[in-house]
Amino acid sequence: MPLTKLHTKNYTEFNESYQLVLPLNLEGLIPEDDSVRLLSHILEGLNYKKLYQAYSSNGRKPAVEPQVMFKIITYAYSQNIYSSRKIEKACKRDINFRWLLAGQTPPDHCAINRFRKYYLTDDVIDDLFYQQIIYLG
């Protein structure tokens, strides 16, 4: 009588090619009194009309919403992060930056530089910071 060999896959083995992806809720990981929450709350109340006017209605949509990009830049500066490459790295690794992105794809350093150079003009920055001072005053 011939013996038959059963071929089965061992699913308990660790295989690095499989990745379990779960939607993470970052709300529970950031304390209620964290500075990123305060900054986000303040920046939510601003009028971004001048910032959005800097964008053309033609062409493609920005990868990261301009309001979110401004939040990222402002929070990075508050954390003494000024290099676009370091901001890009923080957007990929830091929980606070990931929370600010709210599920959007992290921007690369070129997008960050383009945003600072072409869209955050002196007029736009003056308007947004003036609104922040009025809000805090």
Side-chain angles (χ1 to χ4, degrees), residues 9-20:
K9 172 114 173 107
N10 184 358
Y11 289 101
T12 59
E13 290 179 5
F14 177 72
N15 188 346
E16 291 184 25
S17 65
Y18 296 112
Q19 179 180 1
L20 180 62

Side-chain angles (χ1 to χ4, degrees), residues 9-103:
K9 172 114 173 107
N10 184 358
Y11 289 101
T12 59
E13 290 179 5
F14 177 72
N15 188 346
E16 291 184 25
S17 65
Y18 296 112
Q19 179 180 1
L20 180 62
V21 178
L22 298 173
L24 291 177
N25 184 359
L26 299 176
E27 288 294 322
L29 299 175
I30 298 173
E32 290 294 325
D33 60 347
D34 198 299
S35 62
V36 72
R37 288 184 185 268
L38 175 63
L39 179 77
S40 180
H41 177 71
I42 291 169
L43 296 181
E44 283 291 324
L46 301 183
N47 181 358
Y48 291 92
K49 180 180 172 186
K50 286 191 178 184
L51 177 62
Y52 282 96
Q53 285 176 348
Y55 283 85
S56 171
S57 60
N58 300 334
R60 64 185 176 130
K61 185 179 161 196
V64 177
E65 193 69 27
Q67 181 178 352
V68 174
M69 187 70 94
F70 181 72
K71 284 182 182 183
I72 289 168
I73 299 289
T74 306
Y75 184 68
Y77 288 178
S78 75
Q79 302 300 306
N80 293 324
I81 303 172
Y82 302 102
S83 162
S84 61
R85 292 182 190 271
K86 288 182 180 179
I87 295 171
E88 175 188 11
K89 187 176 179 181
C91 286
K92 292 179 179 176
R93 295 184 175 183
D94 191 297
I95 292 174
N96 289 349
F97 283 92
R98 300 291 292 183
W99 182 79
L100 284 174
L101 280 166

Side-chain angles (χ1 to χ4, degrees), residues 45-48 126-136:
L46 301 183
N47 181 358
Y48 291 92
D126 289 346
D127 178 55
L128 290 172
F129 285 142
Y130 178 75
Q131 289 181 54
Q132 287 180 36
I133 291 169
I134 296 299
Y135 182 84
L136 295 172

